[in-house]
Structure formats: structure tokens, C-alpha cells
Amino acid sequence: QAVVTQEPSLTVSPGGTVTLTCGSSTGAVTSTHYPYWFQQKPGQAPRTLIYDTNNKHSWTPARFSGSLLGGKAALTLSGAQPEDEAEYYCLLFYSGLRGLFGGGTKLTVL
Amino acid sequence: EVQLVQSGAEVKKPGESLKISCKGSGYDFTNYWIGWVRQMPGKGLEWMGLIYPGDSDTRYSPSFQGQVTLSADKSINTAYLQWSSLRASDSAIYYCVRGGGHWGQGTLVTVSS
């Protein structure tokens, strides 16, 4: 089975920019993996920030964007706010629409 | 407004069966897959599988194949996750999520003797 990899932890300064990545052990991540990005804060259900690589929901803050970068899916946060401190998960879909989460990235805004 | 509303918390004993639900509203229930996600205490998200309510086509993660059953009743816009024989290690929060990324609020399942 494939493995989806994320940075275990990242730190960004308030107002700064950070990119979280999501890689696949099977090779380059493409749009056919339909990458999703979720944010989860302690004690809360996850919420979707990005789906299908770069599509946002109405509740997705404009400072978040999704893309493909260097063979990985990427979530870029431009202008970090204290409330962005959270765990971030990516989800990729493989052949037969079998999904697989990454291990999550703990983002600290400091 | 799209909503996914899950059934309430459950406390069960090992060996018991359980079926939890996820009711969709505000959209055509047959047009989007419903996925199920496990989150064990203090751990990350695990993809269990998904179902297309329109035809009940189901895709299980290898880790959960044979351990749980996904089903759906499109007449009442509800998807289900069930176990035939629970184990203590099934204790977790279970979330449903729709294609496009709308989430249910989660169902806490506690299995303890």
C-alpha cells in the first residue's frame, strides 16, 4: 500500500508564509489523486480547506491556497494568523478511489 | 445548506454489534460519495472507505476491508457504518465526509467491558 507523507511539524511567524506538502510513495502527486486538505483544531471535527487540488469552500480563508508543486500537493498559507495554529491533513485518492491520509502536519504560529 | 448529521455517542461491550448513521440534507444524496474516517484518541485521521449512495458501490481501505460494512439507504438520505463484533480497539471518533468535503460532527464509539 502507498504511503502519504507530510512534514510532522512546521512553524510560521504571524503574517508569514508557509507551504505544507503532501507526497506519495508511488511517485508524483497529480490532479488524478484529487488532493484534499483539512484543518483540525483540538476537540473539533476536521474542516475542509481545499478539495480537488485547488478548489476552496465558501468558508476557506483567502490566505489558504492549494496547488501541485514539485511532484507533491501543496497547501500555502500566506499571512498566517494565530487562529491558523492547528493540525493539517492531506488526503489522496488512488486507483479505485481508495483514499489515504497523510500523517498530519502540526502547524505552530509563533 | 449542505449538512451531514451523525448519530449519537455509543457505549458498547466487546463482541456486540453496532450501526452508526450519517444523514445528508441540502443536496442530492445520490450524487456524492460518503466516506468514513476513524480517529483514535490522540491520533491522526484514517480513511476507512467510501460508498456511492446512488448504487451502493463501495470501496474499502485494505486496512478496514472485512472489519466493517458500509451501506446506504438513499430513500432516507442516510449512510451507515457497522460492525458485527466490536473490539476495544474500535474505540474512536468516527466521521462521515461527503465528496467535496462536507463533514459530519463525528460519533464517539466507546467499547469497554
Side-chain angles (χ1 to χ4, degrees), chain A residues 1 36 40 48 57 89 96-97 99, chain B residues 39 44 47 52 59 62 100-101 103:
Chain A
Q1 179 165 296
Y36 280 66
Q40 189 178 34
T48 303
H57 280 286
Y89 295 94
L97 269 185
Chain B
Q39 188 165 39
W47 184 260
Y52 286 92
R59 314 290 175 92
W103 288 76

Side-chain angles (χ1 to χ4, degrees), chain A residues 39-84:
Chain A
Q39 178 192 65
Q40 189 178 34
K41 296 181 179 179
Q44 297 183 14
R47 72 164 181 166
T48 303
L49 295 175
I50 300 289
Y51 65 99
D52 294 352
T53 305
N54 55 12
N55 291 285
K56 299 183 183 184
H57 280 286
S58 57
W59 58 76
T60 305
R63 59 186 179 273
F64 287 97
S65 63
S67 65
L68 296 175
L69 199 62
K72 297 182 179 183
L75 176 71
T76 299
L77 169 58
S78 303
Q81 301 297 311
E83 62 264 30
D84 298 328

Side-chain angles (χ1 to χ4, degrees), chain B residues 35 56 68 72 101 106:
Chain B
S56 290
V68 297

